[in-house]
Amino acid sequence: MFTRFLHTVSELGAGNAAWYAAARALQLFGLHMWRYHFVAQRVPSSAMRSAPGRLLMSPIASLADLPAEYPRPREVVAARFRQGGCSIAAWKGCELAAILWYQFGAYEEDEVRARYCLPSPHSCWDYDVFVQPHMRLGTAFCRIWDEAHRCMHARGIQWTCSRISAFNPGSLRAHHRIGAVHLGSATFIALGRWQLMFANRPPYVHLSASPRSRPQLVFDTRSLEHGESQCQPT
């Protein structure tokens, strides 16, 4: 068990490993915990891959366009469309290779009760990047991000924001490699209909008892757009 703990520390870092241990302990009492880091990354004007590849890119406009094997509940996807979510899908023939979602203005979180607001018209929110497991060593990930960046760049988007789980070492490493800027962190603890959030940015603490009560976290990228360095890389 101690060896497993050391492996967790090496994967997540001491701070995130401590949060992970706390989350596991809370499960013994029926509580669920999520811890997120919020980051922003600059939208590049050039592609990660110089060759187009064999994948076909297209938007998903409705639930009917999604194949049955897409592993997200239909009601969750329907809620994304209702709040204005945009998607890009990569196809290998008739098979879905990858899909990425993004949104302008504000986004209501899927996993917890929270609303993320983006005041700048030059920013967007990206979320839920899915790549088929057997295609994760191929070009699907780079291709779908290239297409997303192309679409964002055409809309005048300079920065795209997202949340990453503090317990996902692969995502933490990936965002560190691309020089993502850290915007803050938040922890959510849920028991039944109750949800407690505490964060290192306003509103700092929020207690919710229903879906109508959501903390609103504002991520203003205008300082980044103007070249100010108020935030730190992850």
Side-chain angles (χ1 to χ4, degrees), residues 134-156:
H134 63 282
M135 298 187 186
R136 289 175 183 171
L137 296 179
T139 63
F141 181 82
C142 290
R143 286 294 318 285
I144 202 164
W145 268 113
D146 283 343
E147 180 65 13
H149 288 155
R150 186 190 67 79
C151 294
M152 293 173 187
H153 205 265
R155 287 280 299 261

Side-chain angles (χ1 to χ4, degrees), residues 111-195:
E111 288 189 334
V112 300
R113 294 198 292 265
R115 179 177 173 85
Y116 309 137
C117 297
L118 303 168
S120 172
H122 303 297
S123 64
C124 71
W125 191 268
D126 71 77
Y127 58 102
D128 193 16
V129 182
F130 168 77
V131 181
Q132 292 283 10
H134 63 282
M135 298 187 186
R136 289 175 183 171
L137 296 179
T139 63
F141 181 82
C142 290
R143 286 294 318 285
I144 202 164
W145 268 113
D146 283 343
E147 180 65 13
H149 288 155
R150 186 190 67 79
C151 294
M152 293 173 187
H153 205 265
R155 287 280 299 261
I157 301 300
Q158 300 178 22
W159 289 86
T160 178
C161 304
S162 59
R163 59 91 171 147
I164 55 178
S165 170
F167 310 144
N168 185 335
S171 186
L172 292 170
R173 287 193 298 268
H175 282 84
H176 179 75
R177 284 197 300 270
I178 62 176
V181 176
H182 187 257
L183 301 178
S185 303
T187 301
F188 298 82
I189 299 174
L191 178 63
R193 67 187 179 94
W194 294 95
Q195 174 187 278

Side-chain angles (χ1 to χ4, degrees), residues 59-68 74 81 89 91 96:
I60 297 291
S62 69
L63 285 174
D65 296 335
L66 280 171
R74 295 283 154 153
F81 283 128
W91 302 87
L96 178 69

Side-chain angles (χ1 to χ4, degrees), residues 3-52:
T3 302
R4 184 188 303 175
F5 174 75
L6 290 179
H7 177 72
T8 302
V9 171
S10 67
E11 285 279 279
L12 300 176
N16 289 329
W19 282 110
Y20 179 73
R24 294 292 298 270
L26 288 174
Q27 286 181 343
L28 300 176
F29 301 96
L31 287 85
H32 300 278
M33 189 178 91
W34 298 262
R35 179 163 174 80
Y36 299 145
H37 295 305
F38 303 105
V39 298
Q41 65 182 82
R42 186 180 293 278
V43 176
S45 57
S46 59
M48 287 186 280
R49 289 183 56 84
S50 56

